[in-house]
Amino acid sequence: MKVPFVTFKPLEKELDDKLRGAFERVYENSWYIEGEEGKKFEEEFAAYCNVKHCIGCGNGLDALFLILRASGIGEGDEVIIPSDTFIATALAVSRTGARPVMVEPHLSTYNLDADRIEEKITERTKAVIAVHLYGQPADMDAICEVAHRHHLKVFEDAAQAHGALNKGKRVGGLADAAGFSFYPGKNLGALGDAGCVTTNDDELAGKVRALSNYGSDYKYHHVYQGYNSRLDELQAAFLRAKLPTLDKVNEDRRNTARKYLEGIKNPKLILPHVDWDLYTPVWHIFAVRTSNRDALAAYLNDKGIGTNIHYPTAMHNQQAYQELGIARGSLPICEEISDTQLSLPMYYGMKEETDYVIQALNEWQ
């Protein structure tokens, strides 16, 4: 059996008519930027996340950058982020001129450890970005408690967590603002790059919207030196076609994750930990850890099973961030995760494929 690491075909097959209809609708309207599709998607996604505002933008990196820029964060400031995350979280901070300050995650969940934040706070610290990594919500209550005690803003990087629940509340409305990515591989993915900001803060929403549109609050009137990062009509229409299925997609992925968690019995593998009483993950990624990661990947490849590594080089060890001067070994938890983690197939529509992967993992010597 061949099991790809990811495929979009099962969902695209179900939504074929709706996706084609979305394209035809936009094409017939001949309106491609800042039209009705974008407005309606923003309304629908805001309602889904139970927030007042959703502002579409070009991608998830832009979403985080726009939040930081609209919050006045810039040169000389510091923003705390988890050390274990995709580099876009740090790049958003760096683009403002601020310095990303990395804090270690919990080894069991890979998410930011709130108990480690306080030691990294300085007089220059302005905000904390909590990443809901792999679709599992971070401990927002603990993170917000520390941050608010020090008068810091808290932002969510929800790029991998569309629809996830933290104590019954959807991510995207758990802090001052949240940035989402709609990259095609996300649980809610466009057919190209796209992103958005969600928030309940009226002033912040207005600034983000203006900054994303050349700094303009209305046509040819510019209050900021802004940027061009807008959600185009075609991607908005595709997202509108997919949004009503998001909960079904997430539940399907949860079922696959439950099968993995219950079925994988190989003692050489460390499985992700979930507190199901508090969190409802959406499993953008299902990653296991093992000291023999490369051997396992090769074994699964021979079995026709696709895998990936998120992320093979810890961010502070990337050449792009050598300027931070973080020595190898300074963030050992993050490095251990990078050295041992392997992501298993996880996509909508997995059935007998899940059983095949579990059997292969349990037979691995």
Side-chain angles (χ1 to χ4, degrees):
M1 179 182 290
K2 290 285 187 181
V3 184
F5 173 68
V6 67
T7 178
F8 308 139
K9 292 298 182 183
L11 184 61
E12 288 176 348
K13 184 177 181 181
E14 287 186 18
L15 296 178
D16 185 74
D17 289 344
K18 290 182 178 179
L19 292 170
R20 292 179 187 275
F23 170 80
E24 292 291 342
R25 194 167 64 243
V26 173
Y27 185 66
E28 289 297 324
N29 286 340
S30 295
W31 193 288
Y32 303 109
I33 299 291
E34 293 195 294
E36 288 302 310
E37 295 292 339
K39 292 176 183 176
K40 289 179 179 177
F41 173 72
E42 289 178 344
E43 292 171 359
E44 291 160 4
F45 195 66
Y48 179 81
C49 294
N50 195 30
V51 295
K52 292 171 65 176
H53 304 283
C54 169
I55 304 97
C57 62
N59 53 68
L61 170 56
D62 283 0
L64 292 175
F65 166 70
L66 290 166
I67 290 170
L68 295 168
R69 178 77 171 78
S71 300
I73 292 170
E75 196 75 35
D77 294 333
E78 294 178 351
V79 177
I80 288 174
I81 66 171
S83 58
D84 180 36
T85 181
F86 183 54
I87 198 169
T89 314
L91 292 175
V93 177
S94 300
R95 193 194 288 184
T96 69
R99 178 185 178 90
V101 176
M102 300 180 193
V103 171
E104 289 273 67
H106 291 282
L107 187 57
S108 59
T109 66
Y110 316 139
N111 276 329
L112 181 62
D113 185 346
D115 291 338
R116 297 173 181 268
I117 292 175
E118 202 154 27
E119 65 191 39
K120 295 295 184 75
I121 294 174
T122 72
E123 62 182 13
R124 293 186 173 187
T125 308
K126 295 296 188 292
V128 177
I129 299 178
V131 180
H132 305 304
L133 198 66
Y134 305 157
Q136 177 161 194
D139 186 352
M140 294 304 297
D141 284 351
I143 292 168
C144 288
E145 191 279 326
V146 175
H148 292 162
R149 189 155 26 92
H150 291 270
H151 310 290
L152 306 177
K153 294 284 189 180
V154 181
F155 306 124
E156 301 171 74
D157 181 340
Q160 301 181 2
H162 316 70
L165 298 176
N166 182 319
K167 300 179 181 177
K169 296 180 180 179
R170 288 202 198 279
V171 303
L174 304 176
D176 294 289
F180 285 87
S181 166
F182 300 120
Y183 181 78
K186 306 300 186 184
N187 292 31
L188 178 61
L191 302 191
D193 270 322
C196 82
V197 171
T198 58
T199 184
N200 287 308
D201 185 323
D202 297 341
E203 182 180 0
L204 183 66
K207 287 183 178 180
V208 167
R209 189 175 296 282
L211 284 167
S212 69
N213 188 28
Y214 299 100
S216 174
D217 54 352
Y218 59 89
K219 196 172 182 68
Y220 299 133
H221 185 263
H222 304 271
V223 290
Y224 310 108
Q225 295 180 17
Y227 313 90
N228 177 15
S229 181
R230 299 172 296 193
L231 176 61
D232 71 69
E233 285 290 276
L234 190 56
Q235 299 306 333
F238 290 143
L239 289 168
R240 291 188 68 210
K242 285 187 167 186
L243 180 57
T245 70
L246 178 56
D247 286 343
K248 182 176 83 167
V249 167
N250 287 341
E251 185 57 31
D252 183 84
R253 298 172 84 102
R254 274 192 290 274
N255 288 336
T256 298
R258 288 189 184 101
K259 288 182 180 179
Y260 279 153
L261 291 169
E262 295 170 3
I264 298 171
K265 304 296 185 183
N266 192 323
K268 293 183 178 181
L269 302 179
I270 300 172
L271 304 182
H273 171 76
V274 182
D275 187 338
W276 291 99
D277 292 332
L278 299 178
Y279 306 114
T280 307
V282 294
W283 301 102
H284 174 62
I285 298 295
F286 188 99
V288 298
R289 290 192 295 114
T290 176
S291 58
N292 297 310
R293 191 257 309 283
D294 293 344
L296 176 59
Y299 164 81
L300 292 174
N301 183 66
D302 289 343
K303 293 279 189 179
I305 298 170
T307 61
N308 206 332
I309 301 172
H310 297 83
Y311 302 96
T313 301
M315 186 165 47
H316 63 282
N317 292 332
Q318 296 279 3
Q319 183 176 344
Y321 276 109
Q322 292 307 292
E323 66 191 51
L324 297 179
I326 303 175
R328 187 176 297 274
S330 297
L331 298 171
I333 298 175
C334 176
E335 291 181 15
E336 180 175 346
I337 292 170
S338 293
D339 291 343
T340 62
Q341 189 167 254
L342 187 70
S343 301
L344 303 181
M346 173 59 75
Y347 52 86
Y348 173 76
M350 290 183 69
K351 294 176 183 173
E352 64 272 10
E353 296 93 339
T354 310
D355 297 328
Y356 179 69
V357 174
I358 292 170
Q359 180 180 347
L361 290 169
N362 287 337
E363 292 175 352
W364 180 53
Q365 297 298 317

